[in-house]
Amino acid sequence: MKKLRIWYVMIVSLVLVFTSCEVNDEFDDCPDVTINIDNVPGSAVYRFAAQLEGIEDVQLTWSIDGEDVDTGNLNDIANQVFEYRFETGTYTICVKAADVDCPIEVCKEINVVVDDNNPCPDLFFEARQYEKPSHYKFIADFPGMEQTHFGWYINGELVEDTGIDDENYLFWEFKEPGSYEVCIKSETEECPNGTSYCKIIEIEEIDKDCPEIRFVKEIDPEVERGYIFEADIPEIDQVSEIRWYINGEIVENPTDSNEENRVLRRQFEPGKYEVCLKVITENCPDGVLFCKEIWVGEDKCPDLKFIAEQDGDNPAYYFQVEFEGADNYEWLGWFINGEFVDDSNFGDNNRFYYQFEPGVYEVCLKTETPDCPEGTFYCKVIEIEGDVAECPELFFEVEQEGDTSGYNFWASFDGIEDVSYEWMINGDVIDTEELGNESRDDYLYYQFGVGTYEICIIMETPNCPEGVMYCKALVIEE
């Protein structure tokens, strides 16, 4: 399980004293500021919500015992609400509004008492935007996680089941704007009624006139811990301004007079950084954002590199690891669009081969070592031309049969009459709806016992060769 070192160092050095709220008598017209605290007794997880009426677009800074830990904008709910998992102890939590007319800071003291006898895991996860505003990485982080079976849910539907020793994160792209409840849930023999932890994610609608942007990064061979970031913006003639940000702070803001301004060179100190590219056009005056998170090691992480070579005219590529000392690393992993796909050490001399479908892919080589525990990576963007596979959006409805443990399931989606598909429960095929079969009814009835079930419909077609699945979770209690 990956930990944010800076938080641990901070917690070890906490001074358990009470800091009173600062009040500046010179600013009598400033609004009242309050912090609301939400916590389940015995849990180490706290949620703090700042409420400031009458102030718009104010930079917020959250701190624990004087150490800043989270910064954001008041109009972004993800930063108006600060969530944290503590260890047992006494802490002073403050929120500061950096407004020249109202330099407000308000604090509250909490006494964290963790119930070690609670048989249910004290669930928690972090939410980070991953590259695009609609793309997130959710990272589970709670004691005993490696031995806990839990599932990821979005608006009440199971989207990924995580077994013991599986990866502790979920990549998810929200297809439509709206409000989404993202949860992790767990049910064990010691915790039969289950437990959960949730966050609300707000996805705003993106103007269709805004361009699709991205950037690629490379190691700068001439500068120690230096990186080169190059913007990839297809609508070249429309771009009026480019802005680069590092950890939320603008670092370079050239006008887009020539393509040289599309490249940012930067030297870093060791640590974690979020690098963002914002592009403003005439048709997209509010701009569009693309971000990546990078880790800069203390000269202990290798400078990864690979070369990509297409396999003739096939939509397939060879990826060859090419950096000094590559054979000395116990593990090198290949990832495509954030998903692990292959372990290079099981391949042919650190060579990886992959067959693509039409689309745009980010191929990354990653590694972790004892000297580089947070990991490091190197990526390239591969674009495959052609028609993208068309997969239907599956759906079914559920209805309980009275007060019994029997349930009715009705499949309903566009194009259902033209495809065959299967009903599955916990991975086992229960029924097949075959195209042209007179007995086909697009319906399933099933009598359940006590337990947790995942009900799915799954299908594949020539136009959707990788297949597509739609699932719902069902819990049957005694």
Side-chain angles (χ1 to χ4, degrees):
M1 179 174 60
K2 299 179 181 178
K3 304 292 183 183
L4 298 180
R5 290 182 175 178
I6 189 170
W7 288 10
Y8 272 63
V9 172
M10 176 190 67
I11 291 175
V12 171
S13 62
L14 288 173
V15 180
L16 305 180
V17 297
F18 174 75
T19 304
S20 61
C21 302
E22 295 184 6
V23 178
N24 195 326
D25 295 333
E26 298 180 10
F27 302 94
D28 296 331
D29 295 332
C30 290
D32 292 333
V33 182
T34 59
I35 299 178
N36 294 331
I37 301 176
D38 185 19
N39 167 256
V40 176
S43 170
V45 177
Y46 278 71
R47 177 174 292 160
F48 308 93
Q51 293 185 343
L52 292 80
E53 296 182 359
I55 299 181
E56 296 182 357
D57 198 26
V58 175
Q59 186 78 13
L60 292 181
T61 301
W62 290 93
S63 64
I64 300 177
D65 284 356
E67 296 286 340
D68 292 348
V69 291
D70 195 58
T71 302
N73 237 337
L74 185 59
N75 58 5
D76 182 351
I77 190 65
N79 294 298
Q80 186 179 353
V81 177
F82 169 54
E83 297 170 314
Y84 197 83
R85 184 172 64 82
F86 295 86
E87 294 183 354
T88 298
T90 302
Y91 304 91
T92 299
I93 313 301
C94 298
V95 63
K96 184 188 302 181
D99 184 274
V100 293
D101 297 321
C102 294
I104 308 165
E105 183 176 21
V106 63
C107 303
K108 286 215 175 174
E109 185 181 83
I110 62 171
N111 183 31
V112 179
V113 179
V114 179
D115 182 4
D116 295 326
N117 296 319
N118 188 346
C120 295
D122 194 10
L123 303 178
F124 182 73
F125 66 86
E126 299 174 18
R128 301 177 187 168
Q129 280 190 0
Y130 182 76
E131 298 186 350
K132 298 186 295 185
S134 60
H135 199 180
Y136 273 76
K137 182 179 182 181
F138 301 101
I139 308 168
D141 182 10
F142 57 89
M145 182 179 63
E146 297 89 347
Q147 290 79 41
T148 303
H149 181 104
F150 62 93
W152 294 94
Y153 293 76
I154 297 180
N155 286 350
E157 294 187 13
L158 178 68
V159 297
E160 186 168 311
D161 206 18
T162 301
I164 294 175
D165 291 328
D166 281 353
E167 297 287 358
N168 67 319
Y169 55 80
L170 170 71
F171 285 99
W172 192 262
E173 183 172 5
F174 297 94
K175 302 297 185 182
E176 301 290 338
S179 180
Y180 296 86
E181 184 185 52
V182 181
C183 301
I184 51 175
K185 300 181 182 182
S186 178
E187 180 180 319
T188 65
E189 293 182 1
E190 296 79 13
C191 183
N193 293 327
T195 185
S196 64
Y197 174 79
C198 303
K199 292 179 185 285
I200 300 296
I201 303 297
E202 301 285 348
I203 303 297
E204 296 183 356
E205 186 171 4
I206 298 177
D207 193 332
K208 294 182 179 180
D209 292 329
C210 292
E212 287 282 341
I213 67 169
R214 63 175 56 87
F215 64 79
V216 294
K217 74 174 182 65
E218 294 183 358
I219 300 291
D220 189 340
E222 300 179 357
V223 179
E224 183 180 10
R225 294 191 301 272
Y227 283 82
I228 302 172
F229 306 92
E230 183 174 0
D232 180 9
I233 308 167
E235 292 85 351
I236 293 176
D237 295 336
Q238 297 181 14
V239 175
S240 59
E241 188 175 8
I242 290 177
R243 298 177 185 174
W244 291 96
Y245 296 83
I246 295 179
N247 289 348
E249 298 291 332
I250 191 167
V251 294
E252 190 168 319
N253 187 13
T255 57
D256 192 45
S257 57
N258 58 67
E259 291 194 26
E260 292 183 1
N261 289 329
R262 297 170 185 267
V263 176
L264 171 68
R265 287 177 168 85
R266 187 77 173 183
Q267 184 178 24
F268 295 89
E269 294 297 323
K272 181 187 72 171
Y273 300 88
E274 183 186 52
V275 181
C276 294
L277 168 68
K278 187 171 187 178
V279 174
I280 298 172
T281 70
E282 181 179 353
N283 295 327
C284 183
D286 293 331
V288 62
L289 198 66
F290 181 88
C291 300
K292 285 187 178 183
E293 186 179 88
I294 68 168
W295 286 88
V296 181
E298 297 177 335
D299 296 329
K300 297 180 181 180
C301 293
D303 290 333
L304 304 183
K305 187 178 181 182
F306 63 83
I307 57 176
E309 179 182 354
Q310 188 170 359
D311 183 10
D313 295 330
N314 297 324
Y317 274 76
Y318 293 97
F319 300 94
Q320 176 65 57
V321 173
E322 190 179 78
F323 67 93
E324 184 177 356
D327 293 334
N328 298 326
Y329 289 89
E330 295 183 1
W331 180 81
L332 292 170
W334 294 97
F335 291 74
I336 296 180
N337 289 348
E339 297 293 331
F340 173 75
V341 292
D342 190 58
D343 189 322
S344 182
N345 283 3
F346 293 110
D348 178 17
N349 296 322
N350 287 328
R351 198 179 197 194
F352 170 53
Y353 182 83
Y354 194 83
Q355 183 86 27
F356 293 92
E357 296 292 332
V360 178
Y361 302 87
E362 184 182 54
V363 181
C364 296
L365 177 66
K366 300 185 180 183
T367 189
E368 296 176 14
T369 70
D371 293 330
C372 183
E374 299 295 344
T376 185
F377 55 89
Y378 174 84
C379 303
K380 288 179 179 286
V381 174
I382 302 296
E383 184 170 356
I384 305 296
E385 297 182 352
D387 296 330
V388 178
E390 296 181 359
C391 297
E393 293 186 8
L394 306 183
F395 183 75
F396 62 83
E397 298 176 350
V398 183
E399 183 179 90
Q400 187 176 4
E401 187 79 13
D403 294 330
T404 72
S405 59
Y407 280 76
N408 301 294
F409 303 91
W410 289 275
S412 175
F413 55 89
D414 291 340
I416 190 173
E417 65 279 358
D418 299 322
V419 297
S420 299
Y421 62 94
E422 295 175 334
W423 293 95
M424 300 177 66
I425 298 179
N426 286 352
D428 295 326
V429 176
I430 303 301
D431 191 15
T432 300
E433 305 284 3
E434 294 183 353
L435 186 63
N437 191 326
E438 293 182 358
S439 63
R440 169 176 174 160
D441 54 9
D442 298 320
Y443 164 79
L444 174 70
Y445 173 82
Y446 198 83
Q447 188 84 24
F448 295 91
V450 175
T452 300
Y453 299 87
E454 182 183 51
I455 299 91
C456 302
I457 50 176
I458 182 172
M459 59 151 292
E460 64 180 53
T461 69
N463 293 329
C464 183
E466 299 297 325
V468 64
M469 178 186 295
Y470 176 80
C471 301
K472 290 187 177 183
L474 185 64
V475 178
I476 306 297
E477 299 179 347
E478 294 183 358

